Amino acid sequence: MSLLDFSSDVFIAAFFLYSGSFMLFTIAIMGRKWSGRKPEEHTARWGRIAFIASSLGLLCHMAYFFTRWAGAGHIPVSNMYEFMTFLSMMVMVAFTVMFAIYRKILLGLFAVPISIIIMAYAAVFPQEVQPLIPSLKSIYLNIHVTLAALGESFFAVGFAAGLMYLLRTVNFTSKEKNDRKQQRLVEFTLFSIIVIIAFLGSVFAFRGAGYESIFVRENVTIDSPGQEDSTIERVSYKMPPIVAPYHSEIESFQPFLGMKKPLFEAPSWMNGVNAGRKFNTVIWSLLSGLILYGLIRLIIRKPLGAALHPAMDGIDADDLDEITYRAIAIGFPIFTLGALIFAMIWAQVAWGRFWGWDPKEVWALVTWLFYSAYLHLRLARGWQGRKSAWLAVLGFLVVMFTLIGVNLVIAGLHSYAGTD
Amino acid sequence: MSGRTPLITNTKCECGHQNPVGTVLCEACGKPLDETGNSSENLEMRYDGVARRSQRSNPNVIDLVWNFFSSVKIAIYLIVLTLLGSMLGTIFPQESTFLNIDASTYYKEQYGTAGHIYYKLGLSHTYESWWFVLLLVMIGASLVICSLDRVLPLYKALTRQKIRKHRQFLTRQKVVLVTEMGEEPEEWVGRISQPLKKRGYRVITEGGALLAEKHRFSRWGPYVIHIGLIIFLLAVLARGLPGLNMDQHLAFPQGEVTPIPDTTFYLKNEKFTVEFYTEAEMPEEFRGKKVLPKLYETKAVLYECIADCGDPTRTPQLKEVAAHDIQVNSPLSYNGLKAYQFDYDLTPVLRSVQPELKNKVTGEAYGKFKLEMKNPQRSFEAGPYTLTLKEKYMDFGLNESGQPVSKTPYPNAPAFLFLIKGPGLPADGQQYFYFPKQVDKVQFQQEGINDKLGGADRFLELEVSSMQDVDFSESTAYLNVRVDRAMPFVWIGAGIVMLGLVLGFYWQHRRIWLTVQNGELILGGHTNKNWFGFRREIVSILEKVDMVVDEKSLDNGGGQA
Amino acid sequence: MGKARKPVQIVILLLVVLLGGYAIATSVFGGDGKPKEGSKAPAFELLGLDGKAHTLDEYKGKAVVLNFWGSWCAPCVKEMPALQAQWEKWKDQGVVVVGVNVGEDQMTVENFVKMVNINFPIVMDPGRDAVRSYGISPMPTTFFINKKGKVDSIHIGQLDLDTLDSQIGKLVGP
């Protein structure tokens, strides 16, 4: 068995250990009220088992990382798949650190699934080991990417704790206007997470079923008067096309549930041939997200927030507030060093300019400014509790846009191979 | 700042200390000054309750401007505005990402009306626009003034701490313990000093009162960060000063010593290499579909001119000063001058040929001569023949009126017109057209032209016998040559920022005040972050003197982080 | 904070205004460093066809018509007779026409000058130094420099006799 095969095997093992650990954390928290148990003892015992499982998972994850490094000959953070698997590993590292400090079992219930979701998202991208292009051949690839990911992972844990704070403190029974608003915002946050899960679910379901439809489009560009240049672009849909690319022809179409042709065409401003496909993916994610959300609501018969609220009993809101802040405070210097300072050093060595207002650079700065504002608001303006928790949640959204959104929506120097 | 009670005029504390306007907690004993009642809320411990410099009772214009920039609220607005402005700049690519576009039409063509509006709003050059730079300048001002306004009073407050504090100061901290105490005050205070010292606290006692403090340097973290940021911003500004910055993209044909304009340096590209990954090195899925570059490398030698520089009538004298194999992540660097691999062009460029003059009838060869494409010799000797160069075209073509011209200054299709004199030729010589490149010979029908010029019975021909007689530059490397004298200061600034971040975020300033009097122990504790760890530490310290306290019971609720 | 407080405040605010003003000015107006109308014409030192080095300073006190050209550039070739005519007309009135050949070798330049029959001073810029400092992109480009060494106007593209005449008239005029 080659190193790389071993690597992908332990990666799968890590995935299952995390999933198991998540279930154990769930039992530790939800099982408190089972009859014939002392709640504290139950949580402590099952929590310990869950943490052992997650730690074993992290060990496997690290084994994946280092064997892939050895097998590929370069640090596996050079494409979207590798970066996302690395990020999920760093989220587990950050979780383990915060857990070691605060020993709050509940944290596992929220931090571990973040890592699982990121791992699953990694699997959307091509997994082959690719050789490094010249611009990535640098020691700064190792330093810049790993430190940035570690800093962002602490922000992820801050997000988890912030969301927990909101679930703990928002009054889910009140009918008062402000409470209703908070309830709706929490519900929307949870719904967004459901949409991401649904997106992953539909990607893997259609991939498993081997679905493919292909569109072609002829692009005519007029270079100089009288001289036309036409190129043919092909785009392959891995999900049934609800929306076709703008101005395109069907090359092959696999019917789905009686749908024999796209329902409509992308608007003209989505002129890139891939824009239509991305739009289609968004529609599918929203649709399946709505269905999944509806199903969950049917089963539990109350809003998600209200259903999760009782799980937060027994944890102190102030502690959650502090964990949120602490995670961000630990992550902020690491993020600054990795995502800004080493990014500048690398840019200086590779391109001769330490800062060039490339979209990825700008968004790293936006993330940094956001958390700077968070820290100032908290330290000098006394924003704590509710407001601070919302900022932690919003901040992670900025982080995710920087990592993924910029690559998907805005092209720039950082476009990794295989990003789509 | 909002939420503050209005500045009060009577600032004398009951302990007799005269406090400056704006003081929240008495500088000496710590008694809250802004309230009269027996409020039990947590105290406002920011900057230890001292007055900031800017708080005065009768502000004038300068004070008002100063106050504006010294406000953290304004600083946060500035941060948020900069954040939003930066975001706007990423909606469409910035003008600076393109080398040659006409921005006024490009955005409209490429992105439609939205693009046109984007351009009209000036967002296509967001980061160079006056408002964005103004925001950065204001952030810089805010960094300086905010820090100055707080750091000096805070420094004074922390260096002049009183040990015995007002009861209200202690009981309104976020960590509070009030409990009965039977022991002799001084003895007990002496006893608890030991575990405190063991934990790294500096302990000062005064009778039955104690102050334990550690990691005060952590309080300077934010100010160190701000100093670093100011140095960083100033360094960025200094980059624009004339002479400190140079940025050129230059072509370096292989094998030629090329001057670097505005410097005394010359750079020779000895060999440019581009390599691609072989099929075997690629993952199976990519084979035959993708080509991935493996290496771009320019073997470069840097020369410095030591004499006859900048004199166009003389050839400069050069001395080798540095040599480096420039790769993408490995620039050549010499005394602040850096050359980065930027681009390449694999089109070969002809430099010279050594044709041989032959008699095509007898096959007799008269000799070779070297014909340079640039600045060629004007006349050549080949055996008994003399060739005078009359005309030269770098990129041969015909203009509208059918006359031979050069279409570009680059030797794409060089052509030479000679006048040959010697035995067997007319006295005033015979004209001969020569195309060194075989393709051009065929395309422009060298034979036909020469037959017309010299008649059908001409017998001389210029021919290149082997590839050794052809000299060309195989490729051209494009290097980005830069000088950036302010860079060290950029890194110093960034380093100071990091230092401040580590100081401020990975250590916490912790203080514990204790008073034992009238059979009662009053403990108040303050840290600038990580209350959780602080409470745990106090519990374990109290354990050492056989006091069992629940961690949670120390928490006085609410309060500051 | 004693008596030094006010001066400290004033000094800091002044520094902010100065440095800030400089920052905004350089980013908004600084731009590319190319000479514009009204700015000082950049100096150069180039080899002339006469074998001597020539500088802009030589022509101090004269109005200079600085024409950037190449033998391969058709509009440059076409405007040569107009330049020659204006050179003959104005050379006794303190006007000098200088042709800057861009990137070609001496032989090409000599042949060209003979062919189009011009005799105003020609300098050669094989390293494109003047091209860079004058920020030339398309050719021909002509700079009209007044007697004080300031750029009066810039003409991009082929010149005809009338424009040339009126531009030079403006340079020399009162």
Side-chain angles (χ1 to χ4, degrees):
Chain A
M1 190 163 68
S2 80
L3 267 179
L4 290 176
D5 290 333
F6 173 75
S7 175
S8 52
D9 289 348
V10 279
F11 182 73
I12 291 165
F15 183 78
F16 284 112
L17 276 165
Y18 289 159
S19 307
S21 155
F22 172 56
M23 278 181 241
L24 290 165
F25 274 119
T26 314
I27 293 171
I29 300 301
M30 302 297 183
R32 278 180 308 199
K33 286 166 194 152
W34 290 346
S35 55
R37 280 160 203 263
K38 285 183 187 147
E40 265 106 66
E41 246 173 54
H42 169 91
T43 305
R45 191 173 63 229
W46 285 91
R48 194 166 53 242
I49 302 173
F51 183 66
I52 291 169
S54 82
S55 303
L56 282 176
L58 183 56
L59 281 179
C60 286
H61 206 157
M62 285 177 166
Y64 145 81
F65 179 73
F66 288 108
T67 48
R68 190 175 170 106
W69 190 338
H74 60 83
I75 188 169
V77 290
S78 67
N79 60 29
M80 207 59 170
Y81 169 75
E82 291 175 344
F83 177 73
M84 284 297 152
T85 56
F86 182 76
L87 182 67
S88 61
M89 185 166 100
M90 287 296 109
V91 170
M92 287 308 291
V93 169
F95 159 69
T96 307
V97 169
M98 296 312 287
F99 187 85
I101 299 176
Y102 290 96
R103 310 257 167 207
K104 298 292 177 203
I105 306 292
L106 252 177
L107 196 56
L109 190 62
F110 285 81
V112 174
I114 295 180
S115 179
I116 296 175
I117 290 173
I118 298 175
M119 261 176 128
Y121 181 63
V124 171
F125 299 102
Q127 299 166 19
E128 294 74 37
V129 172
Q130 296 166 20
L132 286 186
I133 54 170
S135 59
L136 289 182
K137 281 184 188 165
S138 167
I139 184 71
Y140 296 112
L141 172 71
N142 307 23
I143 304 172
H144 158 61
V145 180
T146 52
L147 282 177
L150 183 62
E152 282 150 354
S153 299
F154 277 99
F155 295 157
V157 174
F159 160 77
L163 186 59
M164 284 159 74
Y165 180 91
L166 294 169
L167 287 168
R168 171 78 178 78
T169 59
V170 169
N171 186 347
F172 284 97
T173 47
S174 161
K175 293 257 185 281
E176 217 186 303
K177 202 175 158 211
N178 191 41
D179 286 326
R180 299 280 291 183
K181 196 177 120 201
Q182 293 287 326
Q183 289 166 19
R184 262 187 239 116
L185 284 171
V186 170
E187 200 63 13
F188 179 74
T189 309
L190 294 170
F191 172 71
S192 312
I193 297 171
I194 299 277
V195 168
I196 293 166
I197 295 170
F199 156 72
L200 294 170
S202 28
V203 167
F204 294 120
F206 286 119
R207 187 185 285 179
Y211 186 88
E212 187 173 30
S213 286
I214 295 169
F215 291 88
V216 288
R217 183 170 77 175
E218 197 176 358
N219 276 357
V220 180
T221 46
I222 297 166
D223 287 340
S224 52
Q227 197 173 8
E228 285 182 358
D229 225 358
S230 80
T231 48
I232 289 175
E233 286 182 292
R234 283 171 93 244
V235 58
S236 157
Y237 276 51
K238 305 289 184 195
M239 289 186 187
I242 294 172
V243 50
Y246 178 65
H247 267 310
S248 60
E249 305 280 330
I250 297 170
E251 185 184 287
S252 71
F253 198 93
Q254 193 176 331
F256 176 75
L257 293 180
M259 188 169 82
K260 292 210 174 52
K261 62 180 178 59
L263 299 183
F264 61 98
E265 190 176 77
S268 62
W269 53 269
M270 289 190 176
N271 48 13
V273 71
N274 279 314
R277 185 176 54 78
K278 288 176 184 171
F279 184 39
N280 190 55
T281 308
V282 170
I283 293 175
W284 267 106
S285 308
L286 280 175
L287 268 182
S288 41
L290 275 171
I291 294 167
L292 185 59
Y293 179 76
L295 280 175
I296 297 173
R297 285 294 294 267
L298 266 179
I299 296 166
I300 61 173
R301 294 188 175 278
K302 56 179 152 185
L304 261 58
L308 283 167
H309 177 66
M312 302 295 140
D313 285 350
I315 190 163
D316 188 57
D318 279 352
D319 283 348
L320 284 174
D321 185 52
E322 198 182 312
I323 295 173
T324 312
Y325 168 58
R326 202 66 202 296
I328 292 171
I330 293 174
F332 190 72
I334 303 176
F335 179 82
T336 311
L337 185 64
L340 293 174
I341 296 182
F342 272 108
M344 289 193 279
I345 294 175
W346 191 8
Q348 180 70 24
V349 171
W351 299 318
R353 91 281 184 290
F354 66 100
W355 193 261
W357 298 107
D358 174 68
K360 197 83 168 183
E361 289 174 344
V362 174
W363 276 92
L365 178 70
V366 166
T367 310
W368 189 78
L369 289 172
F370 185 91
Y371 282 102
S372 305
Y374 168 91
L375 292 167
H376 280 94
L377 283 167
R378 192 172 171 106
L379 295 174
R381 303 287 302 162
W383 274 36
Q384 282 168 19
R386 180 74 51 88
K387 288 176 181 167
S388 162
W390 274 119
L391 285 180
V393 169
L394 192 62
F396 190 59
L397 185 76
V398 178
V399 169
M400 282 333 245
F401 186 81
T402 308
L403 291 182
I404 302 165
V406 173
N407 292 49
L408 292 190
V409 184
I410 312 167
L413 292 170
H414 271 77
S415 31
Y416 270 136
T419 311
D420 47 14
Chain B
M1 291 176 126
S2 65
R4 280 265 171 91
T5 43
L7 304 177
I8 45 169
T9 41
N10 181 14
T11 53
K12 191 162 180 166
C13 177
E14 63 178 41
C15 72
H17 184 81
Q18 180 65 52
N19 292 297
V21 173
T23 306
V24 185
L25 306 173
C26 172
E27 288 177 347
C29 71
K31 181 182 184 290
L33 294 176
D34 54 342
E35 299 154 31
T36 41
N38 277 332
S39 165
S40 59
E41 268 178 56
N42 284 157
L43 288 180
E44 162 66 69
M45 285 292 286
R46 263 175 253 154
Y47 325 118
D48 266 37
V50 291
R52 292 194 284 111
R53 293 191 77 170
S54 61
Q55 289 176 328
R56 318 183 65 193
S57 33
N58 294 311
N60 60 24
V61 181
I62 289 174
D63 290 328
L64 284 175
V65 177
W66 188 268
N67 287 358
F68 175 80
F69 282 113
S70 75
S71 153
V72 176
K73 196 170 158 184
I74 296 296
I76 294 170
Y77 275 122
L78 291 174
I79 292 175
V80 172
L81 286 174
T82 312
L83 185 158
L84 294 173
S86 311
M87 278 182 178
L88 286 179
T90 62
I91 296 176
F92 293 124
Q94 295 282 301
E95 280 170 38
S96 56
T97 39
F98 308 104
L99 281 176
N100 281 312
I101 56 157
D102 181 3
S104 57
T105 54
Y106 179 84
Y107 284 88
K108 198 180 168 85
E109 280 166 18
Q110 204 69 22
Y111 308 105
T113 318
H116 191 59
I117 295 167
Y118 193 76
Y119 169 75
K120 281 286 172 197
L121 287 175
L123 292 173
S124 56
H125 46 87
T126 305
Y127 309 110
E128 291 84 38
S129 60
W130 64 268
W131 57 269
F132 193 81
V133 180
L134 181 66
L135 274 174
L136 293 181
V137 168
M138 284 169 81
I139 284 184
S142 169
L143 283 170
V144 176
I145 295 172
C146 264
S147 305
L148 266 182
D149 216 41
R150 288 168 174 78
V151 75
L152 294 175
L154 181 65
Y155 177 78
K156 270 171 66 184
L158 290 179
T159 44
R160 285 189 210 157
Q161 291 183 81
K162 271 208 157 186
I163 296 150
R164 194 176 286 276
K165 289 283 184 181
H166 194 272
R167 187 191 159 93
Q168 265 199 51
F169 177 83
L170 297 180
T171 55
R172 284 173 63 188
Q173 291 297 330
K174 210 186 154 199
V175 170
V176 175
L177 177 69
V178 181
T179 177
E180 282 181 19
M181 170 59 58
E183 282 180 60
E184 188 57 33
E186 296 198 18
E187 195 183 304
W188 192 84
V189 164
R191 211 146 64 82
I192 197 153
S193 297
Q194 288 316 310
L196 279 169
K197 281 178 182 159
K198 224 175 214 167
R199 286 282 186 157
Y201 282 88
R202 280 188 301 118
V203 180
I204 320 168
T205 56
E206 186 187 296
L210 172 146
L211 164 64
E213 183 179 14
K214 75 169 171 185
H215 300 160
R216 187 195 285 174
F217 61 81
S218 162
R219 285 298 273 275
W220 313 126
Y223 307 104
V224 175
I225 298 171
H226 290 177
I227 291 169
L229 285 173
I230 291 161
I231 295 176
F232 182 89
L233 287 175
L234 287 178
V236 171
L237 190 60
R239 288 179 71 233
L241 290 173
L244 291 187
N245 190 17
M246 184 186 87
D247 177 9
Q248 310 184 63
H249 293 87
L250 301 171
F252 294 91
Q254 185 168 311
E256 278 175 41
V257 180
T258 313
I260 300 171
D262 306 327
T263 68
T264 54
F265 293 104
Y266 289 71
L267 190 142
K268 182 179 181 192
N269 161 12
E270 297 211 305
K271 176 145 186 62
F272 174 77
T273 321
V274 55
E275 278 175 30
F276 295 92
Y277 283 104
T278 60
E279 293 280 292
E281 288 169 307
M282 297 278 276
E284 259 170 62
E285 287 71 11
F286 289 171
R287 280 177 203 163
K289 286 184 204 159
K290 261 192 189 177
V291 184
L292 274 186
K294 186 178 184 178
L295 175 77
Y296 303 119
E297 184 186 73
T298 306
K299 286 195 192 305
V301 180
L302 188 74
Y303 299 92
E304 187 165 14
C305 177
I306 46 170
D308 300 330
C309 316
D311 182 345
T313 54
R314 291 166 184 232
T315 320
Q317 294 174 36
L318 303 180
K319 190 183 106 198
E320 181 178 331
V321 288
H324 184 73
D325 297 344
I326 301 173
Q327 294 180 10
V328 176
N329 274 299
S330 173
L332 176 142
S333 177
Y334 177 74
N335 274 358
L337 178 119
K338 293 196 173 180
Y340 298 85
Q341 184 64 48
F342 173 70
D343 202 354
Y344 65 95
D345 182 359
L346 291 181
T347 318
V349 177
L350 193 60
R351 251 196 313 251
S352 72
V353 287
Q354 297 192 49
E356 197 168 25
L357 189 68
K358 277 183 180 164
N359 185 324
K360 67 176 175 183
V361 183
T362 62
E364 192 184 348
Y366 301 109
K368 275 200 263 193
F369 60 90
K370 188 167 183 182
L371 179 62
E372 302 269 0
M373 295 303 117
K374 256 202 162 156
N375 288 319
Q377 251 176 279
R378 298 297 180 84
S379 74
F380 307 91
E381 301 287 331
Y385 294 98
T386 313
L387 296 92
T388 315
L389 187 55
K390 300 301 272 186
E391 289 289 351
K392 148 173 178 268
Y393 308 91
M394 293 296 261
D395 193 353
F396 187 80
L398 297 173
N399 69 4
E400 292 143 27
S401 44
Q403 282 167 322
V405 288
S406 192
K407 287 185 295 187
T408 70
Y410 311 109
N412 297 333
F416 299 85
L417 178 65
F418 291 100
L419 183 69
I420 311 178
K421 283 184 182 170
L425 298 176
D428 55 349
Q430 186 180 63
Q431 284 185 316
Y432 182 83
F433 229 101
Y434 175 57
F435 292 89
K437 284 191 180 175
Q438 187 58 37
V439 262
D440 304 331
K441 240 171 231 167
V442 179
Q443 195 196 336
F444 297 112
Q445 300 166 12
Q446 182 180 321
E447 294 271 320
I449 297 174
N450 285 333
D451 285 349
K452 240 182 230 166
L453 289 173
D457 58 346
R458 68 190 181 89
F459 55 91
L460 287 172
E461 205 73 79
L462 277 174
E463 267 166 25
V464 170
S465 45
S466 80
M467 276 315 279
Q468 278 167 353
D469 294 330
V470 182
D471 176 31
F472 56 89
S473 152
E474 283 169 42
S475 57
T476 304
Y478 290 89
L479 301 179
N480 181 203
V481 182
R482 286 180 174 249
V483 173
D484 213 336
R485 305 245 175 248
M487 272 328 278
F489 298 97
V490 170
W491 300 133
I492 289 170
I496 294 174
V497 170
M498 260 335 282
L499 176 75
L501 282 169
V502 170
L503 289 183
F505 283 101
Y506 297 152
W507 275 278
Q508 300 102 34
H509 178 217
R510 292 176 173 179
R511 274 178 299 172
I512 299 167
W513 297 273
L514 278 171
T515 319
V516 185
Q517 58 185 30
N518 309 330
E520 195 184 33
L521 159 72
I522 311 167
L523 178 149
H526 184 262
T527 174
N528 59 342
K529 55 182 73 74
N530 189 11
W531 293 92
F532 186 87
F534 186 43
R535 288 197 301 264
R536 257 206 306 217
E537 189 176 58
I538 293 176
V539 168
S540 79
I541 288 168
L542 290 174
E543 260 171 25
K544 294 274 165 33
V545 291
D546 305 317
M547 271 179 86
V548 180
V549 185
D550 177 40
E551 225 177 280
K552 212 63 213 174
S553 74
L554 287 172
D555 190 355
N556 197 20
Q560 271 57 59
Chain C
M1 311 293 127
K3 291 156 201 147
R5 174 178 157 154
K6 191 128 210 180
V8 168
Q9 285 187 344
I10 293 174
V11 166
I12 288 175
L13 289 176
L14 267 179
L15 275 177
V16 167
V17 170
L18 276 177
L19 289 171
Y22 171 74
I24 294 170
T26 46
S27 75
V28 178
F29 309 110
D32 38 20
K34 288 179 193 172
K36 294 182 178 63
E37 288 177 12
S39 62
K40 194 177 178 299
F44 59 78
E45 185 177 8
L46 297 169
L47 185 65
L49 213 46
D50 53 5
K52 290 183 205 129
H54 292 270
T55 62
L56 186 63
D57 283 350
E58 275 173 43
Y59 308 111
K60 221 171 202 169
K62 286 185 179 173
V64 180
V65 177
L66 199 63
N67 174 259
F68 289 83
W69 63 273
S71 71
W72 42 270
C73 136
C76 304
V77 183
K78 285 183 192 143
E79 70 181 5
M80 282 301 164
L83 283 167
Q84 176 65 20
Q86 292 302 323
W87 158 245
E88 280 164 13
K89 175 176 171 191
W90 293 96
K91 65 179 170 187
D92 300 327
Q93 299 172 49
V95 176
V96 59
V97 176
V98 180
V100 182
N101 173 273
V102 176
E104 292 180 283
D105 61 19
Q106 188 153 357
M107 173 170 188
T108 315
V109 178
E110 275 171 11
N111 284 348
F112 180 81
V113 166
K114 242 179 272 161
M115 186 182 85
V116 295
N117 199 18
I118 49 178
N119 63 12
F120 54 84
I122 297 287
V123 293
M124 289 172 292
D125 187 11
R128 294 170 189 254
D129 298 322
V131 168
R132 198 170 292 110
S133 56
Y134 276 81
I136 309 289
S137 46
M139 278 202 273
T141 296
T142 309
F143 278 75
F144 295 89
I145 301 164
N146 66 19
K147 289 176 180 169
K148 288 176 199 141
K150 293 243 165 80
V151 177
D152 184 73
S153 62
I154 304 167
H155 187 95
I156 296 173
Q158 193 181 334
L159 281 162
D160 58 47
L161 206 61
D162 293 341
T163 1
L164 201 49
D165 197 48
S166 67
Q167 292 284 9
I168 298 175
K170 235 174 71 194
L171 279 186
V172 182

